[in-house]
Amino acid sequence: MMQVLALLPGGEENQLQALPAMAALAEQRSAQLHVVCPAQAAHVWTLLPAVERCIPFAFGQRWSLADWTNLLGNVREPDFQVSLNLSTDWSIDLLLSLSRIPIRVAGGGFSATEPVGQPTGWRGQALGAWLQPLEVHYDGDAYRLPLPRNALAEARAALPPGNGPALLLAPGMTAGWSPEDWQGFVAAVGQAVPSVRLLWLAPEEEAPAGIRRCPAATVMAEAATVASVDVVLTDEPRLAQLAVLTGTALVAAGMEDPGRLPRRDAVKPLPALNRVRPQEVLQALGT
């Protein structure tokens, strides 16, 4: 079995964008994956069973010599055949040069044995460039996250009753609409689609009156909820990426950068919520 070390800087959004590429590598090359990522984003990789372990490292932040030495020990101990390095940190370049990994794929740096160009566009597909030296066929847009049946069953049981379309409202932590705006939006949606079933997923925000709060407490439960609804409206990057991975229709506020979302008919990026009015979002939802 191929042992692969993936060095993936960035938060939850970046880790979720990398998940389809890591899944393709695991499937096509029977690879066992070890992921180096920030500790606060490591829970994302519970969605991919092929990840043997996550090694926490604070890319781009102040790390101590002990942190770096510990990471070097982790890199040198297992019998890795391949490393995929998405970091541009010189310290990671040095670390990999001291490893015994024979195939080192990176966007540049003196440690790379397989340098790749810096692709543009949606980052979920751009990571295919790191897989080309390993002869892995990759179509990030076609990937759909497989989820356990029990997680899907629990998520579906938590939906509001009825047969109408299920809309998940998931505001993030950024400045967006006021509670009054959300309440007005909920009323407008209900008027436009009387059968709509509304679900609220925002632990830090009070749900508008009359909306069921989603009980999801883990990223797996969130993914199952996203997969169980018809549409997601969010300005939370993690929830937007889960919608992309599950193929759920998405209206994503504040994510107009073409690197963040794929181009799909069912994916509609909008400006930040504090720059759009509820009526514009209703139009994006097709109501």
Side-chain angles (χ1 to χ4, degrees):
M1 179 177 289
M2 178 185 287
Q3 299 280 338
V4 177
L5 178 71
L7 299 112
L8 306 174
E12 295 171 321
E13 180 176 23
N14 296 80
Q15 304 303 314
L16 287 166
Q17 288 172 330
L19 194 149
M22 296 300 103
L25 176 58
E27 180 179 354
Q28 295 181 37
R29 298 301 301 269
S30 299
Q32 192 174 69
L33 306 175
H34 300 247
V35 173
V36 181
C37 69
Q40 64 271 23
H43 65 114
V44 162
W45 292 104
T46 60
L47 296 170
L48 187 61
V51 173
E52 176 73 13
R53 63 171 176 161
C54 285
I55 304 168
F57 188 77
F59 292 95
Q61 300 178 24
R62 296 180 64 181
W63 43 263
S64 67
L65 181 59
D67 293 332
W68 189 87
T69 303
N70 179 64
L71 180 58
L72 177 61
N74 279 297
V75 168
R76 291 176 63 89
E77 182 180 349
D79 186 22
F80 291 119
Q81 289 87 49
V82 177
S83 68
L84 304 175
N85 178 25
L86 272 70
S87 171
T88 57
D89 192 327
W90 67 268
S91 65
I92 300 299
D93 210 21
L94 176 60
L95 179 145
L96 290 173
S97 72
L98 297 173
S99 74
R100 295 185 289 269
I101 303 173
I103 301 174
R104 302 186 293 272
V105 186
F110 58 86
S111 69
T113 63
E114 300 287 343
V116 298
Q118 294 294 338
T120 58
W122 175 46
R123 288 192 290 267
Q125 182 60 45
L127 291 179
W130 272 258
L131 302 183
Q132 287 177 0
L134 305 177
E135 298 182 351
V136 172
H137 171 73
Y138 178 60
D139 181 358
D141 201 43
Y143 178 80
R144 296 296 180 267
L145 180 67
L147 292 167
R149 289 184 179 180
N150 63 328
L152 288 170
E154 290 179 12
R156 289 165 184 157
L159 292 178
N163 298 316
L167 169 59
L168 178 65
L169 307 177
M173 299 296 291
T174 57
W177 286 344
S178 68
E180 293 74 21
D181 283 331
W182 278 109
Q183 197 67 59
F185 175 77
V186 166
V189 170
Q191 184 175 8
V193 187
S195 63
V196 70
R197 294 179 292 161
L198 298 174
L199 198 62
W200 183 265
L201 179 53
E204 303 298 326
E205 299 286 344
E206 285 294 326
I211 298 185
R212 178 174 294 189
R213 181 180 286 277
C214 177
T218 66
V219 69
M220 181 69 76
E222 287 181 338
T225 297
V226 168
S228 300
V229 300
D230 297 289
V231 187
V232 174
L233 167 59
T234 188
D235 60 351
E236 166 56 59
R238 181 182 69 258
L239 273 299
Q241 295 302 322
L242 289 175
V244 169
L245 293 178
T246 57
T248 304
L250 169 67
V251 176
M255 302 180 208
E256 296 175 291
D257 180 343
R260 300 182 73 175
L261 297 171
R263 292 187 176 184
R264 295 180 190 167
D265 291 340
V267 174
K268 299 179 181 179
L270 292 177
L273 281 180
N274 59 7
R275 292 171 48 204
V276 296
R277 304 309 303 157
Q279 187 59 40
E280 297 174 74
V281 179
L282 284 172
Q283 291 174 355
L285 290 170
T287 60

